[in-house]
Amino acid sequence: MNCQRHNFPTLDQCCQALAEHIVVTAQQCVAQRGRFTLVASGGSTPQPLYRLLATLPFAHRMPWSQTHLFWGDERCVTADHPDSNYRLVKEELLAQGLLPTANIHRMVGEIPAATGAANYEEELRNFFVSHGDEAITWPVFDLILLGLGSDGHTASLFPNSSALNEKTKWVTATPPGVLAPQVHRLTLTLPVLNNSAEVIFLVAGAKKKTLVEQIISHRQGQAEYPAGYIKPQGKLHWYIAEV
Ligand code: 6PG
């Protein structure tokens, strides 16, 4: 794993650079394999990033017809609920109609969590098998976006959660964490996140600065925070906005 950090004074500047990174990566993946599998992160920080990807020049440079969009986690609410991670991406990106409907792989949060997790894992397995990865143990996403909660969680892997020890499932359901919204969640598991070709954290705000430094500098032993367990076999980038 090689870890690179990219610091920016503002979230807008950070998202401009990250949008460029995503477009270039998407073009390379499509040129090499004819597809780009992107995992969206939740929370509010990525809102300007999703909006940028849906506007010129990025919207015209992204290979949307070969891009498949997935989610790293979802709150167990309806798709139009204010807390839905899908809703944010729909409003900022999907509403522009750039992605074919078949390329949008939503986590269904409005059904019982265990069922939603099992269904999503089946959808992932079907996708990767139908795209030539028959005998895989873990999926290899091209790029996974992650956020960082103020308690050090990422996706919906919360501190002290049993989901952190999941070694076989691709997707699991987790009970509410301490932070709002305190609802059940669906989340990709650590083996899936760490099997990715590339993981990018997008973090903003002075309040998370110390937490980011603690996580990035952690080298040995048990990680103190769930985000510290993200050590992908591929590349790891931290896109950090100071404010
Ligand atoms: C979730 C997110 C979560 C999020 C962080 C940061 O569903 O809660 O996926 O991991 O990325 O909590 O959220 P903010 O960007 O809103 O600070």
Side-chain angles (χ1 to χ4, degrees), residues 36-240:
F36 175 53
T37 52
L38 173 63
V39 176
S41 65
S44 56
T45 301
Q47 183 171 13
L49 172 66
Y50 299 139
R51 186 176 302 157
L52 268 178
L53 290 173
T55 53
L56 297 180
F58 301 108
H60 278 191
R61 294 173 55 207
M62 272 292 289
W64 293 114
S65 57
Q66 296 102 327
T67 295
H68 285 266
L69 184 64
F70 303 85
W71 274 256
D73 70 318
E74 184 54 277
R75 291 85 180 269
C76 291
V77 295
T78 56
D80 59 354
H81 190 283
D83 289 334
S84 166
N85 288 333
Y86 167 81
R87 187 189 61 87
L88 175 73
V89 178
K90 181 181 177 188
E91 285 186 349
E92 299 301 340
L93 174 57
L94 304 183
Q96 311 301 322
L98 297 164
L99 264 165
T101 305
N103 293 22
I104 302 168
H105 307 272
R106 175 173 84 94
M107 283 184 169
V108 178
E110 59 269 29
I111 57 178
T115 307
N119 289 358
Y120 201 65
E121 177 158 338
E122 185 179 357
E123 175 160 353
L124 294 183
R125 289 182 184 277
N126 291 340
F127 172 84
F128 283 96
V129 165
S130 65
H131 286 78
D133 300 333
E134 285 79 13
I136 55 172
T137 305
W138 303 106
V140 181
F141 287 102
D142 293 314
L143 198 160
I144 296 180
L145 292 171
L146 289 176
L148 177 67
S150 57
D151 60 351
H153 85 261
T154 192
S156 283
L157 297 168
F158 294 102
N160 308 311
S161 166
S162 58
L164 289 167
N165 303 313
E166 180 56 55
K167 297 283 188 283
T168 54
K169 291 178 185 171
W170 292 13
V171 187
T172 193
T174 64
V178 174
L179 297 181
Q182 291 187 301
V183 295
H184 281 79
R185 314 287 193 96
L186 308 181
T187 186
L188 297 183
T189 58
L190 276 176
V192 171
L193 299 175
N194 282 329
N195 209 52
S196 177
E198 183 167 4
V199 174
I200 298 182
F201 278 99
L202 172 61
V203 186
K207 290 180 182 173
K208 295 180 183 177
K209 181 175 173 60
T210 304
L211 181 61
V212 168
E213 295 308 325
Q214 285 175 305
I215 292 167
I216 291 181
S217 60
H218 174 264
R219 288 285 178 274
Q220 303 298 330
Q222 187 91 348
E224 189 173 354
Y225 302 102
Y229 289 104
I230 301 300
K231 299 187 184 307
Q233 61 166 2
K235 292 175 271 187
L236 175 60
H237 293 266
W238 286 83
Y239 275 75
I240 304 161

